[in-house]
Amino acid sequence: MSKIEQFLNGKLQERKDNLSIRNLSTNIPPVDFCSNDYLGFARSKELKKLTGDTIAALPNYLNGAGGSRLLSGNTKFTEETEQFIADFHLAESGLIFNSGYDANVGLLSSIPQRGDTIITDELIHASIIDGCRLSHATRYKFLHNDTNDLENKLKLAKGNIFVVIESVYSMDGDIALLIDIANLCERYQANLIVDEAHATGVFGANGRGLINQFNLTNKVFARIVTFGKALGVHGAIVLGSKNLRHYLINFARSFIYTTAAPIHNVAAVRSAYQYLNKIDHQLIHQKIALFRNTLKEQNINAIDSESTIQGILFSSNEATKLAATTLQSKGFDVRAILSPTVSLGKERLRICLHTFNTDEEIISLVNHLKELN
């Protein structure tokens, strides 16, 4: 065995030894409490038809690789869709990226410069961390949702200052203290960047997100909105000023040096936004309330969350994996989130709620959780 294969085997064995090894699987239990398809868009026949009609109405287009958008991959329809989405979110402009990961990496690796400061919540998403690492800025972390600690870090900051948070955190499902953080950023002349991945479609009028819900659009430098969660499609957009859009076109490497998404993907995104206007936006919140109330009735402790993401903490990787396996054997697609993805001692079952989960399914899941405690 070569030296590099020995290295690979050694690192994988470490993961196996601490029960944190990851594997792909196609064996998916039938009752979905795992996916990010919060509104059921990914399985919607009506949205599929709407997307097909949108594609059929387009002029001739390429099915696949047309090239970078700076070369042969750009279309008028894509630019119109970007503005359509920006208008929906009450933003001046927007630029589509191929994924939320690409959007965060492109934004954060290109704008902060040497001598600048990035301050992130300690529970920020991995894509944001990777983007920060690629910049030459100084980076600080503040304690999760702790505005006192954030202010302490702001007092240390130099150059252009960027504060980066999620509006809904992807592992705990809790909501950022958006108003307080926005006011702090204004006081210290810091630029606020908010990832709205798990708020889009769920919060705000017609699913516009929490920045719109709290009327903070004028206090945010940039928003990242991803399409692969509640919208049920794929890709992301960075929302902000026209200057920001033009800057990213020129400096964001994850935008410049990649093949553009095919036009049918853009059509799916456009259709998903149109479909947002046709759904009952209270339904998902009724499901969340049912789950939380049933947990309370059963005296089950869970991470405090008003979002579609609910967490039940366990004491170790082993205990969490056993709980997930037990629930999966009952037909519930619930997954274990293990360290190092979350901190040691914070391993949990991450339960995602959807509009298509029946009340009976939700109550049954909680009853089975009770048996695990």
Side-chain angles (χ1 to χ4, degrees):
M1 184 183 293
S2 68
K3 187 175 180 180
I4 188 61
E5 290 294 337
Q6 290 177 6
F7 166 78
L8 299 179
N9 275 344
K11 298 300 288 185
L12 288 169
Q13 189 61 48
E14 288 177 12
R15 286 286 173 93
K16 291 176 183 176
D17 291 343
N18 63 25
L19 301 178
S20 63
I21 191 73
R22 299 180 176 102
N23 293 290
L24 295 175
S25 174
T26 56
N27 183 22
I28 299 174
V31 184
D32 181 5
F33 282 105
C34 173
S35 78
N36 294 322
D37 186 24
Y38 307 131
L39 304 178
F41 278 24
R43 61 185 67 202
S44 169
K45 293 181 180 178
E46 186 175 350
L47 178 54
K48 184 176 181 180
K49 182 182 183 303
L50 180 59
T51 301
D53 292 343
T54 302
I55 293 171
L58 292 171
N60 292 333
Y61 64 89
L62 296 173
N63 284 322
S68 164
R69 283 185 65 187
L70 286 169
L71 298 176
S72 59
N74 196 39
T75 68
K76 182 180 179 183
F77 179 75
T78 301
E79 294 195 352
E80 289 173 347
T81 298
E82 287 171 329
Q83 192 58 50
F84 174 81
I85 296 169
D87 291 344
F88 176 86
H89 288 284
L90 307 181
E92 185 176 85
S93 193
L95 185 68
I96 288 177
F97 286 74
N98 285 358
S99 71
Y101 188 96
D102 287 339
N104 278 326
V105 168
L107 175 69
L108 289 157
S109 65
S110 65
I111 295 181
Q113 304 292 307
R114 195 181 304 277
D116 293 340
T117 305
I118 304 172
I119 307 173
T120 64
D121 187 287
E122 65 177 339
L123 298 187
I124 208 71
H125 193 270
S127 58
I128 294 173
I129 295 171
D130 289 353
C132 294
R133 286 172 174 168
L134 289 170
S135 80
H136 294 289
T138 300
R139 181 187 166 216
Y140 297 111
K141 292 187 291 185
F142 67 95
L143 297 174
H144 179 54
N145 252 352
D146 187 325
T147 51
N148 289 327
D149 194 41
L150 170 58
E151 184 165 18
N152 290 336
K153 300 303 190 297
L154 283 165
K155 291 175 181 177
L156 300 173
K158 297 178 180 178
N160 288 318
I161 308 167
F162 302 89
V163 173
V164 193
I165 60 174
E166 297 176 54
S167 55
V168 174
Y169 283 87
S170 61
M171 286 296 128
D172 286 14
D174 58 337
I175 294 172
L177 301 175
L178 288 165
I179 294 173
D180 293 343
I181 291 173
N183 289 338
L184 267 178
C185 288
E186 192 170 46
R187 190 186 314 163
Y188 284 89
Q189 297 183 311
N191 301 283
L192 180 57
I193 297 174
V194 182
D195 187 329
E196 289 254 71
H198 295 279
T200 303
V202 177
F203 294 99
N206 285 355
R208 285 184 171 89
L210 283 164
I211 295 303
N212 286 116
Q213 181 171 312
F214 293 128
N215 297 314
L216 296 173
T217 52
N218 293 329
K219 292 191 175 185
V220 175
F221 168 67
R223 278 176 281 171
I224 302 93
V225 171
T226 60
F227 312 140
K229 308 297 190 293
L231 292 176
V233 284
H234 191 68
I237 191 168
V238 175
L239 300 171
S241 67
K242 291 181 179 178
N243 264 350
L244 173 61
R245 181 179 189 273
H246 199 205
Y247 182 95
L248 292 173
I249 289 170
N250 280 273
F251 294 100
R253 293 169 69 85
S254 60
F255 173 84
I256 298 167
Y257 299 109
T258 192
T259 298
I263 197 72
H264 57 262
N265 188 77
V266 180
V269 172
R270 178 73 167 262
S271 300
Y273 268 94
Q274 293 170 332
Y275 195 52
L276 274 177
N277 294 317
K278 300 183 177 183
I279 67 166
D280 176 6
H281 287 274
Q282 290 306 308
L283 181 57
I284 188 60
H285 294 282
Q286 292 168 11
K287 302 293 184 180
I288 295 167
L290 174 62
F291 182 80
R292 297 295 302 183
N293 290 336
T294 310
L295 284 178
K296 187 175 180 181
E297 290 170 4
Q298 296 284 18
N299 293 315
I300 298 173
N301 290 323
I303 297 172
D304 190 22
S305 168
E306 301 172 31
S307 76
T308 55
I309 301 165
Q310 303 289 325
I312 310 294
L313 292 175
F314 286 80
S315 59
S316 66
N317 279 350
E318 185 176 15
T320 312
K321 289 182 76 171
L322 178 60
T325 301
T326 301
L327 289 171
Q328 289 163 13
S329 71
K330 306 291 185 182
F332 299 106
D333 189 8
V334 173
R335 305 299 175 94
I337 305 297
L338 310 173
S339 58
T341 299
V342 292
S343 301
L344 196 65
K346 295 287 187 179
E347 297 86 358
R348 82 280 307 271
L349 294 179
R350 181 178 184 267
I351 296 167
C352 293
L353 301 172
H354 314 92
T355 54
F356 54 80
N357 291 135
T358 66
D359 291 357
E360 292 76 16
E361 288 170 346
I362 291 171
I363 293 168
S364 179
L365 173 63
V366 175
N367 288 337
H368 282 90
L369 286 170
K370 179 65 174 179
E371 294 173 4
L372 294 172
N373 283 343

